[in-house]
């Protein structure tokens, strides 16, 4: 457990190396000693579940990031993207885009996807079986969301090569500290992605897809009895869909398997009872979720459990800390695949709850059900390489041996 002095000095802009390997002792210390922790610049870091919900539920917690991102990103492609996409917008843009997307990711639409996703996953597993030693991230976890989002946007498979690199580069612009290299790579990724989308969108305008199933067609045509997106809005919602769907699901699958390998009793339990897979995916999301931080700016005072935050406060909601809060989750550091109830906030909460959360759940459910059925033995085959970012938690590489 970090010392009291370390907790007092904690800042997201200069976390110690051990935090990147395992942030949960830090979250526990902050939750116990300073759950509404002051950040440099006047912001606060929330470590309790109930405080996170209070901000998520408040109509005075804005997701608009123009004021926050301008000093950090300047007048750049990254700034334009991160202040236009669905996740960082308020009504009316947020309402319009969310309504368009919801029709393409409802339960009926997800049911239509499942057979194709299962078939694709089986193909990946056969390739893994032939190799025996694999990088679980590159060979499996990262491939599934690229396939799903690529299909939803109608991106030809032959053109999907750059998508993962673009996604990681663009999302790195959301880190508490953005280096010059991250800025350059992220801005180039936004520019290159927009250049690619222009040609794809022109083609789709000439030959529209099925409005019920083709997300790009839905975005181009807008609400059938309402407004259409501007060209800029259209580009950035497409980029958002790839980024939101790719990074989170890749990390869910990678972190989930890592948790299983470190809890062999739970892995054996899941193998013995595959009906636990949906519950297991929820526990993976809670226990070591793909996104650790979320942010809001308060447009009016908001009351927490023991204090009121003033208007104008920049709030960092620590999802990872909220999901290990013992006031909500008994024995929160225990990985329990049958945990009930499990009201985690891995997908956020309230009006901005993740629009694609059930797509991610479907991908995770199919991935783990078929992976464990295909390989009776899965073991480490080398040292993993953890992603060294604060907001996103996952692996760059995870070497495994399967048989």
């Amino acid at each position: 457990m970090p010392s009291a002095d370390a907790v007092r000095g904690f800042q997201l802009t200069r976390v110690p190396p051990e935090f990147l390997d395992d942030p949960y002792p830090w979250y526990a210390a902050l939750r116990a000693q300073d759950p509404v922790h002051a950040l440099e610049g006047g912001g606060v870091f929330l470590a309790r579940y109930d405080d996170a919900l209070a901000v998520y539920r408040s109509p005075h917690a804005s997701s608009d990031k123009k004021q926050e991102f301008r000093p950090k990103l300047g007048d750049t492609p990254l700034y334009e993207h991160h202040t236009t996409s669905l996740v960082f917008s308020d009504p009316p843009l947020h309402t319009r885009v969310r309504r368009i997307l919801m029709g393409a990711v409802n339960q009926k639409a997800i049911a239509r996807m499942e057979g194709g996703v299962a078939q694709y996953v089986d193909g990946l597993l056969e390739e893994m079986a032939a190799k025996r030693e694999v990088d679980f991230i590159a060979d499996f976890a990262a491939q599934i969301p690229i396939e799903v989002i690529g299909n939803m946007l109608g991106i030809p498979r032959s053109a999907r090569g750059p998508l993962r690199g673009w996604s990681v580069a663009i999302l790195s612009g959301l880190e508490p500290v953005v280096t010059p290299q991250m800025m350059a790579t992220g801005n180039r990724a936004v520019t290159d992605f927009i250049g690619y989308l222009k040609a794809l969108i022109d083609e789709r305008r000439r030959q529209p897809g099925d409005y019920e199933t083709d997300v790009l067609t839905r975005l181009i045509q807008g609400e059938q009895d309402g407004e259409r997106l501007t060209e800029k809005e259209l580009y950035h919602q497409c980029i958002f869909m790839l980024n939101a769907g790719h990074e989170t699901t890749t990390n869910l699958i990678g972190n989930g398997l890592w948790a299983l390998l470190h809890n062999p009793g739970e892995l054996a339990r899941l193998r013995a009872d595959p009906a636990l897979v949906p519950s297991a995916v929820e526990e993976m999301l809670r226990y070591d979720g793909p996104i650790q931080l979320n942010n809001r700016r308060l447009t009016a005072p908001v009351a927490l459990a023991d204090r009121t935050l003033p208007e104008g406060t920049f709030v960092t909601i620590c999802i990872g800390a909220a999901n290990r809060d013992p006031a909500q989750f008994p024995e929160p550091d225990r990985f329990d695949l049958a945990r009930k109830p499990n009201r985690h906030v891995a997908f956020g909460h309230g009006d901005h709850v993740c629009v694609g959360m059930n797509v991610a759940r479907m991908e995770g459910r199919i991935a783990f059900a078929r992976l464990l059925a295909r390989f009776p033995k899965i073991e480490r085959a080398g040292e993993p390489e953890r992603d060294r970012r604060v907001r996103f938690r996952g692996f760059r590489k995870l070497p495994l041996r399967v048989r």
Side-chain angles (χ1 to χ4, degrees):
M1 183 74 71
S3 68
D5 285 344
V7 169
R8 278 193 294 272
F10 177 80
Q11 293 294 320
L12 290 170
T13 51
R14 50 177 185 274
V15 298
E18 65 268 20
F19 176 91
L20 297 173
D21 293 318
D22 184 5
Y24 297 105
W26 287 87
Y27 295 160
L30 283 157
R31 201 169 44 240
Q33 300 174 38
D34 193 9
V36 187
H37 178 73
L39 296 176
E40 292 171 342
V44 296
F45 177 98
L46 303 185
R48 290 183 298 212
Y49 182 91
D50 286 346
D51 290 343
L53 283 194
V55 174
Y56 274 136
R57 289 170 172 167
S58 173
H60 308 303
S62 171
S63 292
D64 185 289
K65 295 296 187 288
K66 294 182 181 66
Q67 186 176 335
E68 180 183 348
F69 286 172
R70 175 67 76 175
K72 181 167 76 169
L73 302 178
D75 187 13
T76 62
L78 273 173
Y79 174 80
E80 180 180 275
H81 171 67
H82 287 309
T83 56
T84 306
S85 69
L86 173 70
V87 71
F88 294 138
S89 63
D90 289 335
L93 176 62
H94 179 267
T95 307
R96 287 165 50 213
V97 175
R98 189 177 181 91
R99 203 155 44 216
I100 293 168
L101 293 179
M102 283 302 294
V105 293
N106 59 30
Q107 292 297 338
K108 184 177 178 182
I110 292 170
R112 284 196 299 263
M113 297 179 201
E114 289 200 17
V117 174
Q119 185 176 13
Y120 182 75
V121 167
D122 287 344
L124 294 177
L125 295 173
E126 288 309 308
E127 293 174 8
M128 290 169 63
K131 290 182 179 180
R132 288 292 188 91
E133 292 198 2
V134 302
D135 174 3
F136 187 69
I137 304 302
D139 293 330
F140 189 73
Q143 296 298 323
I144 297 169
I146 290 290
E147 171 73 5
V148 172
I149 302 300
N151 288 347
M152 291 175 71
L153 291 173
I155 298 176
R157 281 200 178 93
S158 60
R160 296 178 187 177
L163 296 183
R164 183 186 177 199
W166 285 342
S167 176
V168 172
I170 293 168
L171 289 174
S172 292
L174 300 177
E175 286 296 289
V177 176
V178 182
T179 66
Q181 178 61 42
M182 290 161 71
M183 281 287 291
T185 305
N187 283 322
R188 187 167 58 249
V190 174
T191 301
D192 289 348
F193 204 159
I194 289 175
Y196 172 78
L197 285 170
K198 286 179 178 177
L200 187 68
I201 288 167
D202 286 346
E203 174 62 27
R204 201 62 51 83
R205 283 190 170 124
R206 287 191 296 269
Q207 292 185 304
D210 182 347
Y211 187 86
E212 293 301 315
T213 60
D214 188 309
V215 175
L216 184 53
T217 296
R218 293 182 75 94
L219 289 170
I220 291 169
Q221 295 181 0
E223 298 175 76
Q224 293 194 317
D225 296 314
E227 296 181 72
R228 294 193 177 193
L229 301 177
T230 67
E231 202 74 3
K232 181 175 81 170
E233 290 168 350
L234 176 58
Y235 295 145
H236 292 299
Q237 304 323 315
C238 291
I239 295 173
F240 156 73
M241 278 199 63
L242 168 75
N243 293 347
H246 168 261
E247 183 85 355
T248 51
T249 306
T250 299
N251 290 351
L252 159 62
I253 296 171
N255 294 354
L257 183 68
W258 187 249
L260 288 173
L261 293 177
H262 279 76
N263 292 272
E266 291 299 279
L267 175 55
R269 183 186 188 190
L270 188 57
R271 287 190 182 281
D273 185 4
L276 282 174
V277 166
S279 172
V281 170
E282 298 304 311
E283 180 68 344
M284 292 167 185
L285 287 161
R286 182 201 71 84
Y287 181 78
D288 197 15
I291 298 179
Q292 297 285 296
L293 307 175
N294 210 332
N295 301 92
R296 295 290 188 268
R297 179 177 58 84
L298 303 187
T299 60
V302 172
L304 303 183
D306 52 12
R307 63 183 286 188
T308 296
L309 301 178
E311 177 182 349
T313 303
F314 288 104
V315 179
T316 295
I317 300 168
C318 187
I319 297 169
N323 282 341
R324 296 279 189 110
D325 188 340
Q328 174 66 26
F329 304 98
E331 297 182 80
D333 296 325
R334 182 167 64 89
F335 185 58
D336 177 5
L337 297 182
R339 182 179 294 273
K340 293 286 174 63
N342 192 349
R343 302 185 184 95
H344 63 75
V345 289
F347 293 118
H349 188 80
D351 291 345
H352 273 75
V353 68
C354 176
V355 70
M357 61 183 179
N358 289 326
V359 177
R361 284 173 165 137
M362 176 268 291
E363 293 173 83
R365 178 171 51 78
I366 290 174
F368 282 103
R370 301 183 97 81
L371 173 74
L372 298 180
R374 180 65 181 80
F375 297 121
K377 191 170 183 65
I378 302 170
E379 57 189 5
R380 288 174 54 178
E383 284 302 310
E385 181 181 341
R386 188 171 282 286
D387 193 325
R388 310 306 287 176
R389 289 182 293 173
V390 175
R391 180 178 298 268
F392 298 95
R393 181 162 171 78
F395 292 91
R396 291 176 182 157
K397 295 180 180 179
L398 185 51
L400 295 180
R401 185 177 299 109
V402 296
R403 63 179 176 85

